[in-house]
């Protein structure tokens, strides 16, 4: 009898874990759009913390900007976020997509910065040579 009760308890636990923890909201944001929203939010939040004056200068609130861009409201975003977060594995995959996009963009930005540095390097060398010549001629006088 004890084994049967234990077995029934274990089966009940497995069956109850398969149910949705959070009900699907009426105006659920599609998963791909949600990934885009979270990506944009992470970019804007990074800008906010790296250079806070840039967003203040243009009076941009990152969340309000995102809500207008994707034509959603804060409640719709919050409910959709809770719904997607209730499935840990799927939510983790969403964040991995975001991280992959951020890494890809970081690499392209880094390569552009290095390219700009290479372009400016000859210009800086010319300026240094000109400065050296001017300094030499002032010493002669």
């Amino acid at each position: 009898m004890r084994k049967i009760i234990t077995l029934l308890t274990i089966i009940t636990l497995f069956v109850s874990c398969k149910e949705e923890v959070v009900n699907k909201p009426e105006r659920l944001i599609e998963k791909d759009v949600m990934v885009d929203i979270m990506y944009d939010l992470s970019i804007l939040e990074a800008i906010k913390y790296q250079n806070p004056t840039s967003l203040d200068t243009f009076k941009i609130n990152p969340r309000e900007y995102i809500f207008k861009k994707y034509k959603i409201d804060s409640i719709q975003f919050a409910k959709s976020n809770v719904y997607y977060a209730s499935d840990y594995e799927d939510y983790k995959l969403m964040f991995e997509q975001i991280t992959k996009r951020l890494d890809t963009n970081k690499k392209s930005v880094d390569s552009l910065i290095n390219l700009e540095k290479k372009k400016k390097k000859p210009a800086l060398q010319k300026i240094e040579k000109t400065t050296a010549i001017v300094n030499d001629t002032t010493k002669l006088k």
Side-chain angles (χ1 to χ4, degrees):
M1 184 70 164
R2 190 174 193 196
K3 291 180 182 181
I4 294 173
I5 292 174
T6 306
L7 182 64
L8 287 174
T9 305
I10 291 173
I11 291 172
T12 306
L13 285 174
F14 279 116
V15 171
S16 67
C17 291
K18 297 289 181 185
E19 294 178 27
E20 286 187 0
V21 178
V22 177
N23 294 331
K24 186 176 181 178
E26 287 180 26
R27 298 178 354 179
L28 180 67
I29 300 170
E30 293 179 28
K31 187 182 289 188
D32 294 337
V33 176
M34 192 68 176
V35 169
D36 291 341
I37 291 170
M38 291 165 47
Y39 171 79
D40 287 348
L41 275 173
S42 63
I43 293 288
L44 287 172
E45 290 295 324
I47 292 170
K48 180 179 173 182
Y49 290 108
Q50 289 295 316
N51 190 3
T53 57
S54 65
L55 294 177
D56 291 339
T57 302
F58 298 107
K59 296 179 182 174
I60 297 174
N61 180 340
R63 289 198 179 264
E64 288 177 17
Y65 173 78
I66 295 297
F67 296 153
K68 285 181 184 178
K69 178 179 177 181
Y70 290 97
K71 296 179 177 109
I72 60 172
D73 58 27
S74 59
I75 295 171
Q76 183 182 8
F77 174 75
K79 286 182 178 181
S80 296
N81 195 37
V82 168
Y83 176 75
Y84 288 122
S86 67
D87 182 6
Y88 171 75
E89 292 298 322
D90 203 30
Y91 203 57
K92 183 180 174 186
L93 291 174
M94 289 171 67
F95 273 98
E96 287 173 359
Q97 283 180 312
I98 294 167
T99 304
K100 187 177 179 181
R101 268 174 79 179
L102 288 170
D103 289 341
T104 302
N105 286 345
K106 183 180 182 297
K107 288 177 187 175
S108 63
V109 167
D110 286 345
S111 65
L112 287 173
I113 289 171
N114 289 335
L115 186 64
E116 278 297 312
K117 284 181 182 178
K118 287 179 183 178
K119 285 181 182 177
K120 288 183 179 182
K121 199 171 190 178
L124 288 173
Q125 289 174 347
K126 287 180 185 177
I127 292 171
E128 289 173 357
K129 287 180 183 177
T130 307
T131 307
I133 291 170
V134 169
N135 287 340
D136 288 345
T137 55
T138 20
K139 288 179 183 176
L140 292 174
K141 291 180 181 180

